[in-house]
Structure formats: C-alpha cells, structure tokens
Amino acid sequence: MLKGKHIVLGISGGIAAYKSVMLLRLLVKRGAEVQVVITPNGKEFITPVTLSALSGKPVVSEFFTANTGEWHSHVDLGLWADLMIIAPATASTIGKMANGIADNMLITTYLSAKEQVMVAPAMDLDMWRHPSTQRNIATLRKDGVIIVEPEAGELASGLVGKGRMEEPENIVKAAEEYFSRMATLKGKKVLVTAGPTFENIDPVRFIGNYSSGKMGFAIADEFASRGAEVTLVAGPVSIKETHPGVRRIDVRSAKEMCEAAVSNFGDADYVVLAAAVADYAPESVADSKIKREGTDGMTLRLVKNPDIAATLGCMKDHQKLIGFALETDHELENAHHKLEKKHLDWIVLNSLNDPEAGFMKDTNKITIVSASGEEMEYPAKSKREVAKDIVDVVAV
Ligand code: CTP
C-alpha cells in the first residue's frame, strides 16, 4: 500500500522524536519515499544525520542552506507528497498549524500541503487535555487533518495518562488505511444535493425550511475521503468546511439546484439527493418589497417546483441514484412508493418520529431501502457515521 508513495515526515521538538526514527524506518521498509522536515527544536532531540541516512535524502529544516543560499521550496514539497505525517506533533506545532503561524519550515510546508495531512500528537497529559490544545485539535479536524490520537500510558514526565505518541507501527497502519480508503472510489464521480432551497417572495422574504445540510455534506465528505471526485450542489446553508476533494456549487432556489444537478449528472456514477427541496415556489417574485399598508391579508399563489430526483430518475443511464425520505407516518410504505416513483436505486428513510433523526440534528437514525425491496435498519448514529453506512451500502 505504501510502495512508491511520497511521504513528508514532519518532526517537531518533543521527546517522542526518538520514535520517529523507527517510523521513518518502517515507512522506507514498506517502499515509501520519505522526505523529512524537522523543526529547529526537533533537532535538539534527534540528529538530521540519522534521519538523512535512513531516508536517503537530505533533511529539510531551514528555509535555505546558509552557506550556499540554496532555497528549500515548501511549495514543491506540497506538490510532490501524497501524504504528510507530523509525528511527533507537539502542543506548540499543533497550535501553530491551527492558527497558521508559519515561523518554521514544517509549518510553511503544512500550509502549502495539497496532500492529506496526518498528525500524531505527543505531549504531557495536562497539555493534551488543556482546552487550548483541544480547541486546536478540533480546528485541525475541521480543516480535514487526520488525528492519530495519543495513547494513555507512562509519559516522559513520569506522570501516567493520555499524551504518549501512538506507536510507529500504528501510525504506519493509519497511513495504510488512509491509502486503501483513498483507493476504493478513485476515478468515481459523485453528485450530491444538500441543504434547503429558498424560494423568493420579494427582495426580503422567502419560503424555506429547517434543513441544515449536515447529512448531505457528511455524505459528500465521505465519498471524497474514499477518493471519489465529488460535486456538491448546496442550498443556502451555514456550513463552510468541505473535504478538499469536494467541488461545491452554491445555489438558492429549487430551479437553480435542478439546473446545477442536471448539468453535472451525465458522468456521475453515484447521485445522492439529500437536499430538502421546496416543493412549491411563489408563482411570481415581486420586484420590490410587498407593503402591508392598505391590505387586510394576502394570498400567495404557489406553483410546483421541479422534482430533481424524479427528473434525474428519468434521465438515468449507468448512474446509481440514492434519495432520502423524511416521513411522519406510513414511513416504509411512503419510502417504497417514492423509490419506485422516482426510479431510485436506494432510498434512505428517516422518521420525524425518531428523536435522534431530522433537521438540524447531529445524529440520524435511518433505514436504507433498496430497489429490490431489502430494508436495512440502523441504530441512531452521528451523521458522519451514517454517511459511512450509506456509502458502504451503495458504493460496493
Ligand atoms: N426531491 C427532489 N426534488 C424535489 C423534491 C424532492 O429532488 N422537488 C428529492 C429529495 O431530495 C429526496 C426525495 O426527493 O431525496 C424525496 O423527497 P421528499 O420531500 O420526501 O419527497 P416529495 O416527493 O417531495 O414528497 P412529499 O414532500 O410529498 O412527501
């Protein structure tokens, strides 16, 4: 799995740096090409000579070589690498990564990284559990960094607790898992719709719904983390972060969402319709704000919006279509009916009667119904876990 892979191994200044020698050795033994980037403090713990002898490449630490003036390009490293592993990552390095403080070659390399980044933190237990470290770790997670959690055990300080860097064998395992996950859907194209749609009434009012987009975004991220090329057509949502493998198209109305979905449908392999599309839109949109003076009420005539799922269902060729059904009663019956009517391959049912399912929640409880009539029921899980279950079923 690691054969021929280009890996940047970042080493920061912690006692666990001695374990990075073993990590480097294991990576090289498995056929990876490794470029070590070490912080000035890292060199206090482990010598560049050992690292360059084992990697077969000069170790990079400074922005340029002092006596020759040779410039070390962090941008080139970002283009070269398939994976960057920072082990050990000290509290200070994690803090700099989370806040973009580019005062050494390791952090500039991180900021220029186009590849996946994985960090193996190592520090004392109090530093690990400090709110500041935990905040920074949460930021890195949001930025798409994989965290190889530290273990609990005896620490260099003599204290016992969580903070010890994960063993090199397990970091290698995490790298292998990453590459094998990336390989599973490489070359596949995915189209996802997510979030609500807003249908304008006038320049200040609209008809919308409570969809947060979290489920659709989690599905898009999950497909991308398995190597697929994902196009995400998103209604108006507040979510900012997406996996780097996701191309996002922001839309507002059902009509715009339909146009974007139709034009990206042709070469998609999997299409997931997770958006809560407004079924109706005002027949006409007022050019200026509708005033209340002089009226004793108002009638708004609504016309049907396009059914995106059904439209794509009719265009279907090789694509696998996955729809959602959020129901309040006769749940399974309605789900089967929608699956057939819209020519879907699977429908993911969630019931508004389940307290763990529905709009704006972080959890969901689903039943996946297949076109052949199979029903797979799952316990309540986080939307991220639910996304994994859905991709496991549909993309085999
Ligand atoms: N859907 C769609 N376009 C619409 C309405 C729904 O693409 N205009 C998709 C949703 O994204 C979902 C599936 O169709 O994947 C079912 O959505 P739902 O709102 O439950 O179904 P409707 O057909 O709108 O039926 P109803 O609202 O009457 O239950």
Side-chain angles (χ1 to χ4, degrees):
M1 203 81 240
L2 296 183
K3 199 165 168 30
K5 293 285 188 259
H6 292 174
I7 297 178
V8 169
L9 174 60
I11 301 176
S12 62
I15 187 68
Y18 80 92
K19 287 193 195 170
S20 307
V21 178
M22 199 53 211
L23 174 59
L24 169 58
R25 184 133 174 67
L26 289 174
L27 292 171
V28 171
K29 245 176 134 176
R30 281 170 169 70
E33 248 189 81
V34 185
Q35 172 63 62
V36 176
V37 180
I38 192 164
T39 63
N41 277 341
K43 287 192 285 189
E44 304 289 337
F45 291 88
I46 182 86
T47 88
V49 180
T50 311
L51 298 165
S52 68
L54 288 174
S55 65
K57 290 180 199 297
V59 170
V60 175
S61 179
E62 317 300 335
F63 291 108
F64 56 89
T65 307
N67 55 351
T68 61
E70 187 198 351
W71 176 251
H72 303 140
S73 170
H74 47 92
V75 178
D76 286 352
L77 274 180
L79 294 172
W80 173 83
D82 300 307
L83 175 68
M84 179 177 194
I85 305 175
I86 303 179
T90 59
S92 161
T93 289
I94 289 167
K96 288 179 190 177
M97 288 169 74
N99 294 288
I101 302 170
D103 66 349
N104 65 45
M105 188 66 188
L106 176 53
I107 307 294
T108 51
T109 305
Y110 165 66
L111 293 180
S112 303
K114 302 252 181 307
E115 70 281 13
Q116 176 66 52
V117 179
M118 186 177 272
V119 303
M123 65 198 76
D124 216 44
L125 77 161
D126 293 319
M127 293 175 81
W128 171 250
R129 65 182 172 210
H130 195 280
S132 153
T133 307
Q134 290 306 313
R135 246 189 340 264
N136 290 333
I137 288 284
T139 301
L140 292 190
R141 277 214 171 92
K142 258 199 221 146
D143 293 344
V145 173
I146 297 173
I147 312 290
V148 184
E149 291 262 338
E151 298 179 293
E154 196 174 329
L155 302 164
S157 61
L159 297 171
V160 177
K162 194 166 174 176
R164 202 164 73 172
M165 188 173 92
E166 184 51 279
E167 290 306 321
E169 290 79 5
N170 291 333
I171 300 175
V172 169
K173 218 184 264 170
E176 284 174 335
E177 272 167 22
Y178 163 70
F179 283 119
S180 71
R181 207 169 52 241
M182 278 304 284
T184 50
L185 293 178
K186 214 178 164 74
K188 297 288 180 199
K189 291 203 165 65
V190 178
L191 170 65
V192 180
T193 66
T197 64
F198 286 178
E199 311 299 334
N200 287 352
I201 298 171
D202 69 12
V204 294
R205 303 180 182 93
F206 61 86
I207 298 172
N209 61 62
Y210 289 119
S211 169
S212 63
K214 283 180 185 165
M215 194 62 249
F217 274 65
I219 291 170
D221 283 2
E222 184 57 30
F223 269 110
S225 75
R226 299 188 196 196
E229 228 178 89
V230 183
T231 301
L232 171 64
V233 181
V237 293
S238 57
I239 309 173
K240 300 240 163 4
E241 302 81 18
T242 46
H243 188 284
V246 174
R247 180 173 70 101
R248 175 171 169 175
I249 302 172
D250 286 303
V251 296
R252 184 172 165 89
S253 65
K255 213 163 148 255
E256 285 170 17
M257 185 175 274
C258 191
E259 278 162 17
V262 166
S263 62
N264 285 281
F265 182 68
D267 59 355
D269 297 291
Y270 301 99
V271 179
V272 184
L273 301 144
V277 186
D279 287 324
Y280 299 93
E283 188 172 34
S284 60
V285 182
D287 288 337
S288 48
K289 190 181 171 197
I290 301 169
K291 302 304 264 181
R292 86 194 204 126
E293 220 177 277
T295 64
D296 58 355
M298 151 180 201
T299 305
L300 201 58
R301 187 175 147 70
L302 303 177
V303 291
K304 257 191 175 170
N305 266 332
D307 184 329
I308 305 169
T311 305
L312 301 181
C314 290
M315 293 166 65
K316 188 161 91 167
D317 168 30
H318 64 283
Q319 296 88 347
K320 297 280 180 219
L321 253 65
I322 302 100
F324 272 75
L326 179 62
E327 304 291 340
T328 51
D329 39 29
H330 306 296
E331 290 99 329
L332 275 168
E333 197 185 317
N334 284 337
H336 280 283
H337 177 66
K338 280 180 189 170
L339 179 117
E340 253 177 61
K341 196 178 69 181
K342 303 189 187 208
H343 307 288
L344 305 174
D345 296 278
W346 288 275
I347 195 154
V348 180
L349 165 68
N350 30 136
S351 165
L352 266 184
N353 298 324
D354 274 319
E356 298 99 339
F359 288 149
M360 294 193 295
K361 302 250 166 69
D362 287 322
T363 55
N364 204 354
K365 187 169 178 302
I366 60 160
T367 301
I368 304 180
V369 180
S370 76
S372 56
E374 210 184 334
E375 292 168 6
M376 290 156 267
E377 205 180 329
Y378 295 82
K381 296 182 181 187
S382 71
K383 286 190 171 165
R384 190 184 285 246
E385 294 300 314
V386 170
K388 281 193 184 134
D389 288 338
I390 294 171
V391 178
D392 280 345
V393 168
V394 305
V396 278

